[in-house]
Amino acid sequence: MSGLPQSSPTSRLARAIVRLYPERFRAEYGEEMARFIDDLRSEPRFRGGRGRAALFAHLALDSAWSAAREHWRALAADRRATGIPPHMQQPTEEKMDTLLQDLRYAARSLGKRPMFVAIAVLTLTLGIGANTAIFSVVDAVLLRPLPFPGAQRLTTLWGQHNGEKQLDLFPIKDFEDIQARNHTFEEMGLARSQSVNLTGTEAPDRLIGEFTTASTFRLFGARAAIGRLFTDEETAEGTGQRVAVISYAVWKNRFGGDPSVVGRTLTLDGRPHVVIGVTDSAFNDPFGSALEVWLPITSAPQANWFERGNGTIWGFGRLKPGVTLDDAKRDVAAISKQLEAEYPQANAGRTITILPLKEYVVGDVRPILLIILAFVGVVLLIACANVANLQLARAASRTREMALRAALGAGRSRLVRQLLTENLLLSVVGGAAAILFAHWVIGILVKAIPGRLPTFGAIGVDNRVLAFSILVTVGAGLLFGAAPAIRAARADLAESLSARASDAGRGGRVDARSIFVGVQLALSIMLLVGAGLLTRSLSALQRVNPGYATDNLLTAEFRLPAAKYTTKPEIRQFMSSALDQIRAVPGVKSAALVQAVPLSGNWGNLSYATEAQGDLTAATAPTGQMNIVSDGYFRTMDIPMFEGRDFDSRDREGGERVAIVNRELAQRAWPGESAIGKRLKVFDEQDVWVTVVGVVGNVKHLTLGEPMTAQLYAPMLQEIGIFNSVVARTTGDPMTLAPKVREAIWSVDRDQPVWKLRSMEFLVARDVATPSFTTTLTGSFALLALLLAAVGVYGVMSFTVALRTRELGIRMALGAQRATVVRLVLRRGLTIVAIALATGLIGSFAAARLLRNQLFGVTATDPVTYVAVPLLLVGVALLACYLPARRAAKVDPVIALRSE
């Protein structure tokens, strides 16, 4: 196979095909196949992604079969040459000739019915292609192992507080203790992602950074393209070395791939850092972030990162061979109890949880993908049932043909094999078209999927996906072809050859076609109910009041370099000046600063207690969301103030510690009482008492779907920090003012990067993007299933009318009215629909339970859905039944009886 590029997908496919044959065959035909594929690859129709998929199909249908035929002939010659008895030689040649004959006959037979073939191929293309496309995503996200050494033993460590499910950062000191005391990890590392200011360039910029250790690089098999990575000494506490490693993308895009970047000094967060290396292009961040620069954990922007009890990092670990996840959990839980006993104030209520890295990376994507895969799998079953019905109808018209072949000596197994060959040929054609269709659908899916999928490679029709498609294609061919083939083989010879054979199947009995249609309808109901529940859930989510006005609201983020702004007065001066400049921008109605903008992904938690709960500790106290805001924040966000006042100039450092709470916290802490003037103990780095001066409305902060949460706001002048966000209410489109808001901040400090300039409407749309995508996709599959089922109903009813033409003609000749004939035909169709409806609803009640965790604002037994879906199905099925019934009522009795 030297004629092929060794890395091309086509060459891999060709080599896989040739490996199926003996060594002599590979030696004789390998080069010829290589040249053949080279010739095909040079044709314009086989270039690009779609062309490559077409070439796969071409090879599967042409080259591989030709090679197999030559292979069988070579084997037969070998047997003759080695003296194998004739009775052992003949079957191989006969089977080969018979198979070729069956294929030729199947191709001719199908070629005489182009409309049947077109409908069947289109149905299979939709079913198999959709499954292949979705499987390619599932394979890339859920099935492929992570591209790291010992990926199955990699874990991630997170903090938890008071047994809550929410994962949180945990202290570096706790990580160091676990690293020193554990008996289950062979290597551990830590990390904390945080943006880094790049200054000293033409314009200040922001890099997506991560503070980490040398061991983290080792855990994930990182290599340097040029230079080197961190050493343990450079990332050890107390060294304070200012070094940096940049990503391959930054090296290429920002520095033009200049090797002299190693040794260059970059000003990051106001401090000089020497670039010591560039990561290899193949290195991936385990969480899929597009990281641009890595700094030692010792370059942390704030010294309190190393304080006992201050949660600042997450951890990674690789389990020792033979150690289970449960072993590691028990080990770390024991260490957590030791730390709580040794440091009761800092570690009270704190535990460390361990998750397999793959499980954490996949996260909430797994159930969504499995739901979509289940939907598209059901669509394939419906498509196969549809094709089976087409085949049954076609088999009924071929009854005489099969009877004549049987009369001439063909056995039943021979007839079944012939029909199965036709079905497999039909499914292969549909499968080949499905691969091309899947390639096109994958491109659309990748662009349409919101956010970034947790994948570490391209999503496409690779060898694994191609194997899946071939498996589904063969399975579909057997699935929809078995019933027609068996039925044709069981046909009674005498009856089939009689003059009245064309009337077989009349009389209204429930036959295989009706069963297939019933199955289609029942499955369609299940999909429609699932899609209906998801649609109702999305509608409820979109109607949620977030607690603030989302229109004409601009948001932005920035972080001051701790090396430059070293004191709180300096930070306050910058914040105050920047806010004044932003408020002065023409078109800005009001503006404020906030530490965490709702729905931005930034958040903070705290524990609190009332005076009546004075005996509570940080470990036992209730928790809520914490935010730090400037004056004017609630007015700018349009958050209602129900009691008290906003923050103002009185709320400064050194003054009385105050807070504003939301209605939820006020009702929890002081039910039936006014919260104004009440005091709360806030458990933070230093436990303090604060006085409530205002009560505001509840706000959806993390997601629109989160349950109502207690929220506390502190004044920025009392809780100043280096990270902040801007919210600005504008008179028009907020994004048109984004450059001016950035310039307003630069007017205070030209070296201050500003990033994530986004509208609040964008943040809201992003929050509902995933459920919206899931609902759209599942709804599309459900409607496709309904369409296929309706076509199936129409087909069966039309076929039934055709078989009963003589009977209906007699009825009408004897005086039956057209309405009577219509009711007679409709009764049969609606009987099938009624049975399918009952079966489908029972299945829907069971299947809907799997969607419970994906629903918001509706239950899995939502009555609106369970009423609307049957009405929709009955309406569509009634139309599909009525059209053939109306045609039956127009039958001329004379024409119907002429065949007598």
Side-chain angles (χ1 to χ4, degrees):
M1 299 293 290
S2 59
L4 280 174
Q6 293 301 305
S7 61
S8 71
T10 51
S11 68
R12 292 198 298 271
L13 178 62
R15 285 196 297 272
I17 293 172
V18 175
R19 286 196 193 98
L20 297 175
Y21 305 110
E23 183 178 354
R24 199 189 73 174
F25 178 81
R26 292 200 299 269
E28 185 173 351
Y29 294 101
E31 294 297 331
E32 181 179 346
M33 180 174 284
R35 289 192 297 272
F36 172 69
I37 297 173
D38 272 337
D39 292 340
L40 288 180
R41 292 177 68 246
S42 64
E43 296 184 20
R45 58 183 174 139
F46 292 134
R47 293 176 184 167
R50 296 184 185 179
R52 190 161 53 249
L55 182 56
F56 288 161
H58 188 89
L59 286 170
L61 295 174
D62 186 88
S63 302
W65 177 247
S66 298
R69 181 175 57 190
E70 294 298 326
H71 172 54
W72 285 112
R73 290 177 178 173
L75 287 181
D78 283 347
R79 289 194 176 107
R80 287 192 295 269
T82 53
I84 296 177
H87 70 276
M88 297 181 64
Q89 301 173 18
Q90 191 66 15
T92 299
E93 297 180 7
E94 284 186 356
K95 288 178 181 178
M96 189 64 189
D97 291 340
T98 301
L99 184 56
L100 290 174
Q101 182 182 3
D102 285 348
L103 283 174
R104 287 194 296 268
Y105 184 83
R108 287 198 303 269
S109 178
L110 293 174
K112 294 177 181 178
R113 296 166 177 82
M115 185 58 67
F116 163 78
V117 172
I119 295 174
V121 168
L122 177 61
T123 303
L124 291 173
T125 297
L126 293 175
I128 298 174
N131 273 270
T132 300
I134 298 300
F135 176 79
S136 69
V137 179
V138 172
D139 178 57
V141 176
L142 302 183
L143 303 182
R144 291 181 194 168
L146 297 176
F148 306 120
Q152 71 281 2
R153 294 186 284 126
L154 286 175
T155 64
T156 180
L157 292 80
W158 293 86
Q160 285 184 311
H161 189 69
N162 293 340
E164 295 178 351
K165 292 184 178 180
Q166 184 172 336
L167 302 180
D168 202 352
L169 305 175
F170 66 101
I172 293 177
K173 293 297 184 183
D174 286 5
F175 173 84
E176 292 174 346
D177 289 330
I178 293 172
Q179 189 176 31
R181 304 181 189 186
N182 85 87
H183 304 287
T184 50
F185 293 101
E186 68 176 13
E187 181 86 273
M188 297 187 72
L190 60 79
R192 168 68 182 272
S193 295
Q194 185 168 291
S195 58
V196 176
N197 293 349
L198 173 64
T199 54
T201 55
E202 183 177 348
D205 203 355
R206 166 220 184 206
L207 297 179
I208 304 174
E210 183 174 86
F211 296 86
T212 188
T213 57
S215 57
T216 303
F217 276 133
R218 291 195 298 269
L219 273 172
F220 300 109
R223 297 179 181 276
I226 59 172
R228 62 177 179 84
L229 305 180
F230 298 141
T231 64
D232 288 320
E233 292 73 18
E234 288 170 332
T235 59
E237 184 179 353
T239 58
Q241 296 192 41
R242 304 295 179 193
V243 292
V245 174
I246 62 174
S247 71
Y248 189 88
V250 167
W251 177 50
K252 285 292 186 181
N253 299 332
R254 188 181 291 272
F255 298 102
D258 184 1
S260 66
V261 70
V262 175
R264 184 179 301 183
T265 299
L266 303 179
T267 303
L268 303 173
D269 279 346
R271 297 187 179 100
H273 288 73
V274 177
V275 177
I276 62 171
V278 176
T279 58
D280 185 80
S281 60
F283 176 64
N284 296 291
D285 172 62
F287 294 160
S289 302
L291 295 178
E292 297 174 303
V293 63
W294 289 262
L295 303 176
I297 191 65
T298 51
S299 294
Q302 294 170 280
N304 64 1
W305 277 28
F306 292 90
E307 292 178 0
R308 174 71 66 177
N310 187 17
T312 53
I313 55 96
W314 58 78
F316 300 105
R318 184 188 294 113
L319 299 176
K320 294 179 179 179
V323 173
T324 67
L325 185 66
D326 289 336
D327 294 335
K329 287 181 176 180
R330 287 190 293 268
D331 189 18
V332 172
I335 298 173
S336 295
K337 289 183 179 179
Q338 296 172 9
L339 296 177
E340 187 173 6
E342 295 171 14
Y343 309 101
Q345 185 172 359
N347 285 68
R350 187 190 300 278
T351 58
I352 306 297
T353 188
I354 307 174
L355 295 173
L357 183 60
K358 177 74 172 183
E359 177 182 321
Y360 181 82
V361 168
V362 172
D364 297 334
V365 176
R366 182 191 300 273
I368 294 173
L369 288 181
L370 292 180
I371 288 171
I372 294 174
L373 185 63
F375 266 70
V376 77
V378 173
V379 170
L380 178 61
L381 291 178
I382 294 174
C384 288
N386 230 355
V387 177
N389 258 336
L390 291 173
Q391 289 285 58
L392 283 170
R394 181 166 173 261
S397 66
R398 300 175 67 186
T399 304
R400 287 177 178 272
E401 173 197 340
M402 293 297 129
L404 285 172
R405 295 186 67 183
L408 293 174
R412 288 189 174 182
S413 62
R414 182 71 179 83
L415 296 177
V416 169
R417 189 167 69 244
Q418 174 61 55
L419 292 175
L420 285 178
T421 301
E422 292 183 15
N423 293 326
L424 287 175
L425 181 61
L426 194 64
S427 66
V428 167
V429 175
I435 293 174
L436 299 176
F437 176 68
H439 183 83
W440 175 72
V441 171
I442 290 170
I444 296 177
L445 276 178
V446 171
K447 294 179 181 178
I449 292 174
R452 184 190 181 281
L453 281 175
T455 62
F456 295 91
I459 300 175
V461 184
D462 59 9
N463 292 343
R464 290 160 59 95
V465 176
L466 187 62
F468 171 83
S469 181
I470 294 172
L471 181 65
V472 171
T473 297
V474 174
L478 295 174
L479 184 63
F480 71 71
I486 293 173
R487 175 164 180 167
R490 289 180 177 176
D492 183 80
L493 181 60
E495 181 183 354
S496 299
L497 292 174
S498 69
R500 300 168 64 90
S502 61
D503 283 348
R506 69 186 181 189
R509 75 170 186 262
V510 178
D511 57 12
R513 290 183 296 276
S514 300
I515 293 174
F516 277 126
V517 167
V519 170
Q520 285 180 273
L521 290 172
L523 292 175
S524 298
I525 291 171
M526 295 174 62
L527 292 190
L528 287 169
V529 167
L533 291 173
L534 291 174
T535 300
R536 293 263 297 158
S537 173
L538 176 63
S539 178
L541 188 63
Q542 292 173 330
R543 292 196 306 270
V544 167
N545 178 12
Y548 43 82
T550 61
D551 59 307
N552 298 337
L553 191 63
L554 177 69
T555 71
E557 297 178 7
F558 61 90
R559 177 180 284 105
L560 302 181
K564 184 175 182 179
Y565 294 87
T566 58
T567 65
K568 289 186 175 181
E570 290 177 324
I571 299 173
R572 289 194 187 93
Q573 180 60 45
F574 175 90
M575 299 298 178
S576 177
S577 299
L579 187 56
D580 290 341
Q581 292 297 321
I582 295 170
R583 288 171 173 170
V585 171
V588 172
K589 295 169 60 176
S590 63
L593 298 180
V594 56
Q595 189 176 64
V597 174
L599 305 183
S600 67
N602 297 320
W603 50 273
N605 287 340
L606 84 164
S607 301
Y608 66 91
T610 64
E611 290 183 299
Q613 301 170 318
D615 58 338
L616 296 180
T617 65
T620 58
T623 60
Q625 294 175 353
M626 170 72 171
N627 213 344
I628 301 171
V629 302
S630 72
D631 63 290
Y633 171 74
F634 302 106
R635 181 179 68 258
T636 300
M637 294 289 293
D638 200 12
I639 299 173
M641 179 76 68
F642 294 113
E643 287 187 88
R645 64 173 178 86
D646 196 354
F647 296 131
D648 56 30
S649 58
R650 290 171 289 179
D651 308 316
R652 292 182 171 273
E653 186 178 25
E656 181 186 16
R657 301 294 293 271
V658 297
I660 293 175
V661 299
N662 70 336
R663 261 190 169 181
E664 183 70 16
L665 191 153
Q667 291 171 357
R668 291 184 186 182
W670 306 284
E673 302 179 36
S674 171
I676 303 302
K678 298 292 196 303
R679 295 209 310 158
L680 286 173
K681 185 178 184 181
V682 177
F683 298 95
D684 205 347
E685 296 178 16
Q686 295 180 347
D687 300 344
V688 296
W689 287 92
V690 298
T691 302
V692 177
V693 297
V695 177
V696 297
N698 301 322
V699 167
K700 296 288 186 177
H701 188 91
L702 292 176
T703 68
L704 292 175
E706 69 178 334
M708 203 53 66
T709 306
Q711 296 165 335
L712 182 145
Y713 300 88
M716 185 163 291
L717 294 180
Q718 290 184 348
E719 299 285 348
I720 200 71
I722 62 173
F723 176 80
N724 247 321
S725 302
V726 177
V727 288
R729 182 75 60 183
T730 63
T731 56
D733 182 3
M735 296 310 298
T736 61
L737 294 181
K740 295 182 179 179
V741 169
R742 180 189 281 114
E743 287 290 342
I745 296 176
W746 283 355
S747 68
V748 181
D749 185 346
R750 192 68 191 177
D751 288 337
Q752 180 56 50
V754 182
W755 61 87
K756 292 185 179 179
L757 288 103
R758 305 171 293 194
S759 68
M760 181 56 69
E761 290 177 331
F762 167 83
L763 296 178
V764 171
R766 185 182 67 174
D767 189 68
V768 300
T770 296
S772 178
F773 172 79
T774 305
T775 301
T776 301
L777 205 57
T778 54
S780 300
F781 290 141
L783 291 177
L784 175 60
L786 178 62
L787 176 62
L788 291 174
V791 170
V793 173
Y794 177 82
V796 165
M797 297 309 300
S798 296
F799 186 75
T800 300
V801 168
L803 289 180
R804 300 179 67 182
T805 299
R806 177 176 172 275
E807 173 200 345
L808 297 176
I810 294 175
R811 288 177 179 271
M812 295 182 70
L814 295 176
Q817 300 297 315
R818 289 190 174 184
T820 303
V821 173
V822 170
R823 285 196 300 271
L824 182 67
V825 176
L826 283 178
R827 186 182 301 119
R828 175 182 172 86
L830 293 181
T831 300
I832 299 173
V833 172
I835 296 174
L837 191 61
T839 306
L841 286 176
I842 294 174
S844 297
F845 276 111
R849 299 172 60 187
L850 303 176
L851 296 176
R852 284 181 298 184
N853 293 335
Q854 304 300 319
L855 300 179
F856 173 82
V858 296
T859 64
T861 56
D862 177 50
V864 175
T865 302
Y866 283 92
V867 171
V869 167
L871 289 177
L872 173 63
L873 183 79
V874 169
V876 172
L878 187 63
L879 178 62
C881 293
Y882 174 74
L883 294 177
R886 187 182 65 173
R887 187 169 64 251
K890 294 181 180 180
V891 171
D892 188 332
V894 176
I895 297 176
L897 295 174
R898 185 170 294 170
S899 60
E900 293 294 298

